[in-house]
Amino acid sequence: KRGSLKGKREMITGRVPIEQRPQIVAERSRLGDLEGDTVVGAGQSGNIVTLVDRKSLYLFAGHCATRHSELVAKTMINALRQAESFQFQTITFDNGSEFAAHDLISKELDVKVYFARPYCSNDRARNENTNGLLRQYFPKKARFDKITPEQVQRAVDEINNRPRKPLNY
């Protein structure tokens, strides 16, 4: 009756911990080191996949219908492919099962993928802050099945073009 749910969750195989990430990433001295996450709509109605550059604070995002790992990976790849001149080095994710297809992202974009320590959101603080800015456009109670990719892109453009304190306004 009260069986274990261990088999139901998608496991992240080939997970590389953040401790193995190069020290230069922590210094935020180069472009192309990204932090990734998902912003979930009310009632699991959809997601916005976000990737933020650690140095420039540039936001890449895409609308995703579910949190299935392969769909999330394809959405991230599509969002990052729009940046033609950007050279990506690393991506750091949290331990959510939606990132179980990280190997697909790594192969397609030729980047190294790392995972933050469990329950340490400060390992990806830039992304958490940017997700908070995105929530100004899509509040917690908003259903994401009603938003369009154009609405997401408009919000991303506004965030990328607003003055930010870490960038000296």
Side-chain angles (χ1 to χ4, degrees):
K1 217 195 273 191
R2 296 185 189 123
S4 171
L5 295 176
K6 284 186 180 180
K8 298 242 181 204
R9 240 184 124 182
E10 244 178 307
M11 299 305 292
I12 300 175
T13 57
R15 185 183 168 284
V16 180
I18 197 169
E19 290 82 15
Q20 294 180 16
R21 190 174 69 175
Q23 180 60 31
I24 193 168
V25 178
E27 295 168 5
R28 296 187 200 127
S29 61
R30 69 177 182 186
L31 295 173
D33 296 314
L34 306 175
E35 299 175 357
D37 201 5
T38 54
V39 179
V40 182
Q44 306 286 322
S45 59
N47 306 289
I48 298 175
V49 177
T50 61
L51 292 146
V52 180
D53 183 72
R54 290 176 58 89
K55 182 177 180 178
S56 68
L57 305 181
Y58 194 83
L59 172 64
F60 302 93
H63 183 263
C64 192
T66 67
R67 286 178 42 181
H68 190 277
S69 61
E70 289 183 15
L71 183 59
V72 169
K74 288 177 184 174
T75 303
M76 283 187 179
I77 291 167
N78 290 337
L80 293 176
R81 284 236 169 106
Q82 294 174 1
E84 298 160 2
S85 63
F86 223 82
Q87 177 62 39
F88 303 109
Q89 309 290 329
T90 64
I91 302 176
T92 305
F93 294 127
D94 61 12
N95 292 289
S97 62
E98 65 266 27
F99 303 118
H102 64 90
D103 53 345
L104 178 65
I105 298 168
S106 182
K107 287 177 191 168
E108 286 286 325
L109 299 172
D110 193 30
V111 297
K112 292 185 170 87
V113 176
Y114 299 94
F115 287 87
R117 294 170 293 169
Y119 308 106
C120 289
S121 59
N122 60 336
D123 286 347
R124 301 172 311 95
R126 298 276 193 197
N127 189 257
E128 295 294 339
N129 184 342
T130 306
N131 287 350
L133 297 176
L134 196 59
R135 282 286 186 194
Q136 293 175 353
Y137 300 91
F138 307 105
K140 280 240 184 226
K141 295 183 180 178
R143 294 195 53 87
F144 287 1
D145 53 357
K146 306 286 187 210
I147 63 173
T148 64
E150 291 78 23
Q151 289 174 305
V152 173
Q153 192 57 47
R154 192 173 324 121
V156 168
D157 290 342
E158 286 185 27
I159 290 171
N160 284 336
N161 291 312
R162 83 189 321 177
R164 308 269 297 267
K165 185 177 179 179
L167 300 174
N168 295 322
Y169 301 100

